[in-house]
């Protein structure tokens, strides 16, 4: 029994009801009462408020049995929209989703500068356009979340972005001053982990997601919350040293994990062997289909070093689910099986190790999901994932 201030209890009940409506997709008032253990009077009162706010809509379910047609409740996905932004090294991706987390549109612009003022100007320009375009919906843009490929403090200031060489940058306040609305910053790997939890792995409370693209990031969800560390910098696992005295890293150390087990490291090795610059995924896919010996050797080395780091992560965190996000691994035959074969320690315990099915979109979809979570004031969402190749 929840006791305390009446307004607080009402807020908790509202959150519980919204979460169950989202989880079920369509649900009746009677079933809501059964699932939540709230009285029918409480359900009726809360639903009346949600209907008035246009956050929930009613649908009369068609059926052939005798009696009244049941009236089902669902979240009004078109009441507002979430804007997720992935601020990556060479490009910015803007994805707009409805309140059900379903992508409505996505666009990517190339970055030809790392200058803070220039990138700030571009962000303001594009965000303003989205705000104007969707201002006619009931709630417009309900939240803006930007994924940062670097260190983001608990106060959402950017401490360091290695690729941009941004240090102690207050992008949040600069954007909010220009836009007149709240903006949230979050580490990109955290958002990828959040997307995996919200859209795919509904059943777990503890999940690790390692992203292997330009570097290696680790998103950690423990007891259904981000694990951030003292200042918010937890998860910079790419700078765990696995080869003492090894390859120099931008962080200042040598032998960091991402110098051996990120996709960037694979492309660098292939460029050296093939004497070709800017190798693409399609070229790698073609070489794999041709059973190219160089590519297979580089990929096997990639998996070897990747497994060393994953072994460390598993032994340190004892996670329920470990998700590895890599396009190269998705195209390499038996990649997951090879990783499993390398994790043969008797003290390593985890329930599931899997490759991400969302892929590179996980970061920006996680940003949309986080914006929705904050708007609806629901601690955790369970949303279906609908893959759309054109977004």
């Amino acid at each position: 029994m929840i006791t305390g201030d009446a307004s607080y209890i009402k807020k908790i009940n509202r959150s519980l009801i919204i979460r169950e409506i989202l989880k079920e997709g369509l649900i009746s008032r009677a079933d809501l009462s059964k699932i939540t253990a709230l009285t029918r009077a409480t359900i009726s009162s809360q639903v009346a408020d949600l209907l008035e706010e246009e956050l929930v809509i009613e649908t009369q379910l068609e059926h052939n049995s005798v009696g009244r047609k049941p009236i089902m409740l669902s979240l009004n996905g078109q009441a507002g929209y979430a804007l997720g932004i992935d601020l990556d090294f060479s490009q910015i991706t803007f994805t707009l989703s409805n309140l059900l987390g379903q992508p409505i549109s996505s666009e990517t612009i190339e970055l030809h500068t790392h200058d803070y003022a220039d990138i700030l100007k571009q962000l303001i320009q594009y965000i303003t356009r989205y705000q104007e375009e969707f201002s006619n919906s009931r709630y417009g843009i309900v939240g803006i979340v930007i994924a940062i490929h670097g260190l983001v403090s608990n106060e959402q200031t950017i401490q360091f972005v290695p690729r941009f060489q941004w240090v102690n940058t207050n992008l949040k306040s600069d954007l909010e001053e220009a836009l007149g609305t709240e903006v949230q910053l979050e580490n990109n790997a955290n958002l990828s982990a959040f997307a995996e939890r919200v859209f795919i792995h509904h059943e777990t409370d503890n999940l690790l997601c390692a992203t292997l693209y330009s570097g290696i990031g680790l998103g950690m969800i423990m007891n259904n919350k981000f694990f951030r560390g003292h200042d918010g910098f937890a998860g910079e696992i790419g700078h765990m040293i696995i080869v003492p005295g090894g390859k120099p890293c931008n962080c200042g150390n040598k032998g960091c994990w991402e110098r051996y087990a990120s996709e960037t490291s694979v492309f660098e090795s292939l460029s050296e062997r093939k004497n070709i610059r800017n190798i693409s995924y399609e070229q790698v896919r073609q070489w794999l289909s041709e059973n190219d010996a160089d590519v297979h050797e580089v990929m096997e080395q990639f998996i070897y070093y990747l497994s060393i780091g994953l072994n460390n992560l598993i032994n340190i965190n004892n996670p329920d689910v470990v998700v590895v996000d890599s396009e190269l691994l998705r195209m390499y035959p038996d990649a997951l099986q090879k990783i499993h074969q390398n994790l043969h320690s008797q003290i390593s315990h985890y329930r599931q190790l899997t490759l991400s099915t969302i892929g590179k979109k996980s970061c920006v979809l996680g940003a949309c999901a986080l914006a929705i979570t904050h708007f609806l004031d629901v601690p955790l969402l369970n949303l279906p994932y609908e893959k759309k190749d054109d977004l």
Side-chain angles (χ1 to χ4, degrees):
M1 174 67 70
I2 300 175
T3 60
D5 182 77
S7 62
Y8 176 72
I9 295 173
K10 185 175 181 180
K11 178 181 176 180
I12 295 296
N13 290 341
R14 175 189 173 97
S15 174
L16 183 59
I17 289 168
I18 291 175
R19 179 178 176 182
E20 290 302 326
I21 292 174
L22 278 168
K23 182 179 177 181
E24 299 298 326
L26 283 172
I27 190 171
S28 67
R29 287 171 174 80
D31 286 339
L32 262 179
S33 180
K34 292 176 184 176
I35 291 173
T36 61
L38 297 173
T39 66
R40 294 200 175 196
T42 298
I43 295 294
S44 295
S45 174
Q46 290 273 5
V47 167
D49 290 343
L50 292 170
L51 287 168
E52 184 177 352
E53 296 167 25
E54 297 181 23
L55 284 175
V56 166
I57 55 178
E58 293 180 317
T59 303
Q60 198 162 50
L61 195 64
E62 296 293 335
H63 70 128
N64 297 322
S65 61
V66 178
R68 293 179 58 187
K69 297 176 181 178
I71 296 176
M72 309 298 284
L73 304 169
S74 61
L75 194 80
N76 180 10
Q78 313 312 314
Y81 299 89
L83 181 60
I85 303 172
D86 184 6
L87 179 55
D88 205 347
F89 170 59
S90 60
Q91 61 188 29
I92 309 176
T93 298
F94 299 84
T95 294
L96 193 83
S97 82
N98 62 20
L99 293 185
L100 299 174
Q102 299 165 339
I104 302 301
S105 67
S106 188
E107 63 179 319
T108 298
I109 62 171
E110 299 299 317
L111 277 180
H112 302 291
T113 177
H114 296 161
D115 181 73
Y116 176 74
D118 290 341
I119 293 176
L120 175 64
K121 183 178 179 180
Q122 290 187 67
L123 286 170
I124 293 170
Q125 175 187 344
Y126 277 83
I127 293 171
T128 301
R129 194 193 77 197
Y130 278 103
Q131 288 176 318
E132 293 172 351
E133 186 176 350
F134 291 89
S135 61
N136 292 331
S137 64
R138 173 64 187 263
Y139 295 100
I141 303 296
V142 303
I144 302 165
V145 177
I146 303 179
I148 303 298
H149 294 244
L151 299 178
V152 181
S153 74
N154 289 326
E155 290 73 36
Q156 297 184 48
T157 58
I158 298 174
Q159 295 297 306
F160 183 49
V161 178
R163 294 287 185 124
F164 291 162
Q165 290 298 301
W166 290 357
V167 179
N168 296 326
T169 307
N170 208 333
L171 177 63
K172 174 181 170 68
S173 63
D174 289 342
L175 283 173
E176 289 177 344
E177 182 178 354
L179 298 169
T181 190
E182 183 179 357
V183 175
Q184 185 175 359
L185 306 188
E186 185 56 80
N187 173 264
N188 66 299
N190 279 347
L191 291 173
S192 291
F194 193 67
E196 295 291 342
R197 172 59 185 84
V198 168
F199 292 104
I200 306 296
H201 299 279
H202 297 163
E203 76 292 345
T204 184
D205 298 334
N206 299 285
L207 178 146
L208 301 180
C209 179
T211 59
L212 309 182
Y213 296 109
S214 56
I216 298 181
L218 181 69
M220 295 185 285
I221 295 178
M222 299 294 177
N223 297 320
N224 278 328
K225 295 180 180 179
F226 289 132
F227 179 80
R228 302 180 184 277
H230 178 67
D231 295 311
F233 306 149
E236 289 300 317
I237 203 67
H239 301 288
M240 167 178 60
I241 295 173
I242 63 167
V243 181
K247 299 176 183 178
C249 180
N250 289 332
C251 76
N253 281 327
K254 294 182 179 180
C256 291
W257 191 28
E258 68 178 40
R259 296 294 289 120
Y260 296 85
S262 66
E263 291 197 344
T264 294
S265 71
V266 174
F267 285 120
E268 287 175 353
S269 294
L270 289 175
S271 291
E272 291 175 5
R273 288 178 179 239
K274 301 289 188 182
N275 197 25
I276 300 174
R277 298 183 62 187
N278 301 320
I279 292 174
S280 68
Y281 286 111
E282 286 308 311
Q283 285 175 294
V284 175
R285 194 185 306 274
Q286 179 64 30
W287 286 328
L288 286 173
S289 69
E290 297 168 354
N291 204 26
D292 184 283
D294 283 336
V295 176
H296 279 281
E297 185 177 338
V298 169
M299 286 298 296
E300 290 295 325
Q301 188 178 55
F302 171 42
I303 289 174
Y304 169 74
Y305 284 114
L306 174 62
S307 301
I308 292 174
L310 289 176
N311 177 79
N312 294 342
L313 291 183
I314 291 167
N315 287 334
I316 291 169
N317 295 285
N318 182 213
D320 183 27
V321 174
V322 181
V323 181
V324 180
D325 190 1
S326 164
E327 185 64 28
L328 290 176
L329 290 177
R330 280 188 288 273
M331 70 173 66
Y332 192 62
D334 302 320
L336 193 59
Q337 181 181 347
K338 292 175 185 293
I339 295 172
H340 275 293
Q341 289 171 351
N342 287 335
L343 299 177
H344 43 65
S345 170
Q346 294 299 311
I347 62 172
S348 294
H349 292 283
Y350 58 94
R351 181 177 63 81
Q352 183 181 9
L353 172 66
T354 184
L355 296 179
S356 172
T357 56
I358 305 177
K360 283 190 173 182
K361 300 173 187 176
S362 65
C363 174
V364 75
L365 289 180
C368 291
L370 191 60
I372 295 168
T373 299
H374 287 171
F375 171 68
L376 296 177
D377 200 13
V378 177
L380 191 65
L381 301 176
N382 285 346
L383 298 174
Y385 175 59
E386 300 178 6
K387 185 174 182 179
K388 294 185 178 181
D389 293 330
D390 57 331
L391 289 177

